[in-house]
């Protein structure tokens, strides 16, 4: 029965689980080769001193850590929200769309990864406002926000509920 309930939210489950895998993968990469991350930052800062200050090495390394932290956190809570979406009385298409949007919230951690890779060359402030960084931010946060609004509006106002269905002479069955 639960498998059937979650069938329409598979795409959201996929996105949430990929976000978790990314977060865990970043943690594994740090534990196996932290020096490579720090060396990348150090070399970039040394090659472009005109866009850096004394705090740059530590702050840019922190961007990679934030990608890891955000991926783990967002992956976990979007997974819960996607499962909740699957258990609602939303119409199947609405569930699919809502779950996918919530799952796409996992794009946000890539903004921190983008800043990590761009900042050594262009500086921290410029990396924060780079087009790719902002696409990850607005894409991830925007999708998550729209998905949350859809879920909220269904849970509290019934928006997107399955319509009344009848089969032959059977009595109507409400699934909302």
């Amino acid at each position: 029965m639960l498998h059937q309930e979650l069938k329409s939210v598979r795409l959201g489950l996929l996105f949430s689980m990929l976000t978790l895998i990314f977060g865990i993968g970043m943690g594994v990469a740090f534990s196996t080769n932290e020096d490579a991350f720090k060396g990348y930052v150090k070399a970039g800062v040394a090659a472009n001193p005109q866009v850096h200050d004394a705090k740059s090495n530590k702050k840019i390394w922190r961007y990679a850590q934030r990608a890891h932290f955000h991926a783990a956190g967002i992956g976990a809570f979007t997974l819960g929200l996607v499962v909740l979406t699957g258990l609602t009385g939303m119409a199947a298409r609405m569930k699919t769309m809502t779950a996918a949007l919530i799952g796409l919230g996992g794009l946000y951690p890539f903004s921190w990864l983008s800043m990590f890779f761009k900042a050594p060359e262009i500086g921290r402030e410029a990396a924060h406002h780079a087009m790719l960084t902002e696409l990850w931010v607005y894409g991830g946060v925007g999708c998550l926000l729209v998905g949350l609004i859809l879920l909220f509006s269904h849970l509290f106002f019934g928006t997107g509920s399955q319509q009344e269905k009848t089969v032959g002479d059977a009595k109507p069955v409400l699934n909302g």
Side-chain angles (χ1 to χ4, degrees):
M1 181 83 164
L2 187 59
H3 171 72
Q4 190 63 27
E5 295 294 328
L6 296 178
K7 203 172 203 177
S8 60
V9 296
R10 274 195 232 171
L11 190 57
L13 289 171
L14 173 68
F15 294 151
S16 295
M17 293 176 82
L18 287 174
T19 303
L20 282 170
I21 290 167
F22 170 68
I24 293 166
M26 289 287 293
V28 169
F30 296 158
S31 69
T32 60
N33 205 0
E34 183 177 316
D35 290 338
F37 287 88
K38 289 182 175 180
Y40 172 79
V41 174
K42 187 176 180 180
V45 169
N48 302 287
Q50 69 281 5
V51 293
H52 294 289
D53 60 26
K55 297 177 184 178
S56 288
N57 283 338
K58 286 184 178 183
K59 289 197 174 255
I60 296 170
W61 160 236
R62 189 74 176 150
Y63 296 163
Q65 293 173 319
R66 286 180 179 172
H68 159 65
F69 297 145
H70 281 90
I74 291 171
F77 83 74
T78 59
L79 185 62
L81 289 171
V82 168
V83 169
L84 175 63
T85 300
L87 298 174
T88 67
M90 277 185 186
R93 289 179 121 176
M94 189 71 159
K95 279 185 186 184
T96 300
M97 181 175 61
T98 300
L101 287 167
I102 290 170
L104 285 170
L107 295 174
Y108 174 75
F110 289 101
S111 65
W112 289 105
L113 190 63
S114 172
M115 285 186 273
F116 169 77
F117 282 118
K118 291 185 155 300
E121 182 180 344
I122 65 175
R124 294 190 329 259
E125 186 67 25
H128 272 276
H129 299 290
M131 186 185 332
L132 183 60
T133 301
E134 290 190 353
L135 284 172
W136 291 122
V137 170
Y138 294 123
V141 173
C143 286
L144 179 58
L145 184 60
V146 172
L148 279 170
I149 289 168
L150 291 171
L151 179 58
F152 180 89
S153 67
H154 171 75
L155 291 173
F156 295 99
F157 304 110
T159 307
S161 294
Q162 293 178 355
Q163 296 298 317
E164 195 175 271
K165 297 179 180 180
T166 58
V167 180
D169 293 330
K171 292 183 179 182
V173 178
L174 292 176
N175 290 321

